[in-house]
Amino acid sequence: MNDKQKMKKINRKHKVVFLLLAFQLLSFMGKIGYAEMQASTKCTAKESILYDRKLDDRKAIPELLLNDAGAYRKDGLAIMQKDSMVKLNIFYALAERVVRYRVSFSADATALFRSSLSDFGVYVDIPHQRVSMATNPATEMQVPFLQGNREYLIEIYHIYQQAKVRITDLQTKKHAELCATNDGTGGCGAGTLQKGFSVGMQWDHYCFGLVSGTSFLVKRITVCALKRKVKVLLYGDSITQPEGYFPTKTFPESWTQLVIGRLKGNAMSSGRGGGNISMLSEYIRNELPHIKTKYVMVTIGTNGGNTEENLTALIDYIRSQGAIPILNNIPCNESGTQVSNNAIIEKVRRKEGINGCRFDLPTSLAGDGKEVDKSLMFWEDYTGSYGWQIYHHPNERGGRRMFEQTLTDIPEIYR
């Protein structure tokens, strides 16, 4: 072998060694990148990211309203001002979702992660090594691995009636989990079926702030839908959010859960108690583009606000996202407002050539959609305050009838 051949052989060996080292380095970097992604978002293959933002001072984040609670640094958002709340100004109502915060705390910090309407809150208390939900009485647990100046992943789930908080030490991988289930009263005043247990529906925007201590640092915020693809999405107001008022023992008999059960979980609901079409039109734009679905079923109008124009605009938006809109009649109620609302809804359906379920028929006394059958509704007795007697939230019997009406009017969603 001459010198030239020897040199070629040496060069080939060097090239092989270099490629092996490069491959190992890329593999190692890939693992770090994957671990980083997992630690910061932990989105599974079944989930869909609704929002994901690394927080630093490089670029403005207009959707995050600081309210003088803190300031951006190179390594994150430092929260230093007590009793001021940072607000993620994006409206979510999806019943299967999670928000994830990548954070670190000073050794004396207590932080609050709550909903914008304060119906739900989670406290992380570093000096007392405790995590709690603001229920009455409080739902809490000791977390012995909590300490200052360590990075944690805090995950707050909303899954219909269940709230779940999971905290993970990103260095040791130790984790702890706290759960609570919202148990509705089934009615109000004289119509209350049980005491219930309020956990909250996490209305409407995610917020966080410093309760006591020096500071904490938020490095990343991620919001995920727990399913990235379903056959049906159900949108609406409190009629589509029965998890807020149904007793837990009968919640599986609510109409939304019966539909989701019939579809073997291949569906999700997004309802907002007290909501109207204006609110729905806001939060559907923050959810629907990120979830692949065939049908979007809307039941809206109980709280007023429906017009032919805004219902048509909503239908147009659903179609623009590649889904088939279904616009339902609203159920009967004690004041009979469903009659005029459903006339508008039916006009829009005819004009747009879409299908819908006539929920007013099975919830009426004569099956004609006019007078509510009170036996199918929860009794909400407000005589001691507002002077009202309300019958417009379907109970388990009303829910069963509504579900059965879907089998007749919109059987295509089950095929």
Side-chain angles (χ1 to χ4, degrees):
M1 184 181 294
N2 59 36
D3 291 341
K4 191 173 183 180
Q5 289 173 325
K6 288 179 181 178
M7 186 60 65
K8 282 184 178 180
K9 188 173 182 180
I10 290 170
N11 286 341
R12 279 198 300 270
K13 285 183 178 180
H14 286 172
K15 189 178 287 185
V16 170
V17 170
F18 174 80
L19 289 172
L20 284 172
L21 287 172
F23 177 80
Q24 289 172 352
L25 179 61
L26 286 171
S27 178
F28 176 69
M29 292 301 292
K31 287 177 181 177
I32 290 178
Y34 180 74
E36 177 76 13
M37 182 193 74
Q38 288 292 88
S40 60
T41 65
K42 293 188 74 177
C43 277
T44 69
K46 292 182 179 179
E47 295 178 346
S48 178
I49 296 176
L50 305 179
Y51 178 83
D52 184 36
R53 191 67 184 260
K54 183 180 179 181
L55 308 186
D56 54 40
D57 59 3
R58 296 179 184 176
K59 187 177 179 181
I61 308 176
E63 69 276 10
L64 209 57
L65 308 181
L66 299 189
N67 298 314
D68 298 320
Y72 291 107
R73 304 189 324 205
K74 184 178 180 180
D75 56 346
L77 174 59
I79 309 300
M80 299 164 289
Q81 182 63 46
K82 300 177 185 65
D83 302 320
S84 292
M85 301 301 295
V86 178
K87 174 181 173 181
L88 177 59
N89 196 28
I90 304 177
F91 192 166
Y92 297 111
L94 199 64
E96 299 184 41
R97 69 183 191 270
V98 58
V99 59
R100 296 182 171 108
Y101 302 94
R102 185 167 180 166
V103 297
S104 61
F105 303 92
S106 63
D108 60 350
T110 295
L112 170 62
F113 301 85
R114 69 164 171 83
S115 58
S116 57
L117 295 190
S118 297
D119 68 306
F120 174 84
V122 172
Y123 290 87
V124 179
D125 183 341
I126 300 301
H128 295 98
Q129 297 183 308
R130 182 171 59 223
V131 173
S132 63
M133 289 188 205
T135 55
N136 186 21
T139 304
E140 60 184 26
M141 65 178 174
Q142 291 300 123
V143 184
F145 59 77
L146 280 181
Q147 58 181 287
N149 303 310
R150 291 282 282 271
E151 283 196 15
Y152 297 96
L153 181 67
I154 296 174
E155 304 171 86
I156 301 173
Y157 290 81
H158 171 54
I159 311 172
Y160 299 102
Q161 289 192 318
Q162 185 189 59
K164 181 171 68 173
V165 181
R166 182 182 173 92
I167 185 165
T168 303
D169 184 318
L170 294 177
Q171 181 178 330
T172 67
K173 307 306 178 187
K174 290 181 179 179
H175 66 270
E177 197 170 282
L178 182 67
C179 297
T181 299
N182 194 84
D183 193 2
T185 60
C188 299
T192 300
L193 300 179
Q194 60 176 26
K195 182 180 179 180
F197 183 68
S198 179
V199 175
M201 295 292 102
Q202 302 188 28
W203 288 339
D204 293 316
H205 307 80
Y206 291 117
C207 299
F208 53 90
L210 183 66
V211 176
S212 62
T214 305
S215 67
F216 71 101
L217 187 70
V218 183
K219 296 189 173 185
R220 195 175 197 117
I221 303 174
T222 306
V223 182
C224 291
L226 298 186
K227 296 171 184 172
R228 66 168 54 234
K229 181 180 179 182
V230 291
K231 189 172 185 182
V232 182
L233 277 172
L234 295 82
Y235 274 91
D237 49 36
S238 57
I239 306 299
T240 310
Q241 196 187 42
E243 51 267 28
Y245 49 84
F246 248 84
T248 300
K249 64 183 178 183
T250 55
F251 178 58
E253 295 301 307
S254 63
W255 79 272
T256 56
Q257 292 301 298
L258 290 172
V259 170
I260 293 169
R262 180 67 173 239
L263 288 162
K264 298 181 180 178
N266 194 12
M268 288 189 290
S269 67
S270 184
R272 178 26 171 113
N276 56 29
I277 191 168
S278 176
M279 296 168 72
L280 191 157
S281 297
E282 181 180 352
Y283 62 76
I284 195 173
R285 281 170 167 76
N286 300 324
E287 299 171 354
L288 182 56
H290 306 283
I291 304 167
K292 184 174 177 57
T293 187
K294 184 172 183 179
Y295 297 101
V296 174
M297 180 192 296
V298 176
T299 312
I300 195 68
T302 306
N303 302 304
N306 283 5
T307 66
E308 183 179 342
E309 291 74 21
N310 56 30
L311 284 168
T312 301
L314 180 60
I315 296 306
D316 288 343
Y317 176 72
I318 292 169
R319 282 174 165 158
S320 76
Q321 298 303 305
I324 299 170
I326 294 174
L327 185 60
N328 300 326
N329 287 16
I330 61 173
C332 289
N333 61 65
E334 73 291 338
S335 56
T337 58
Q338 81 282 348
V339 175
S340 58
N341 264 282
N342 289 335
I344 299 171
I345 289 168
E346 288 167 359
K347 182 179 180 181
V348 171
R349 278 207 304 265
R350 288 194 300 271
K351 182 185 73 171
E352 296 297 319
I354 62 174
N355 209 349
C357 190
R358 298 166 297 172
F359 284 145
D360 51 331
L361 302 187
T363 55
S364 60
L365 278 172
D368 56 4
K370 294 181 179 178
E371 184 178 352
V372 65
D373 183 343
K374 295 178 180 179
S375 71
L376 304 179
M377 304 289 164
F378 289 114
W379 175 23
E380 297 173 62
D381 173 30
Y382 296 104
T383 52
S385 52
Y386 303 108
W388 301 336
Q389 296 284 321
I390 295 176
Y391 297 86
H392 65 214
H393 289 127
N395 57 26
E396 67 274 20
R397 288 173 292 170
R400 171 62 61 176
R401 292 209 186 169
M402 289 172 65
F403 164 68
E404 290 171 350
Q405 192 71 33
T406 68
L407 300 174
T408 299
D409 290 348
I410 47 173
E412 63 267 27
I413 69 171
Y414 302 115
R415 294 185 188 127

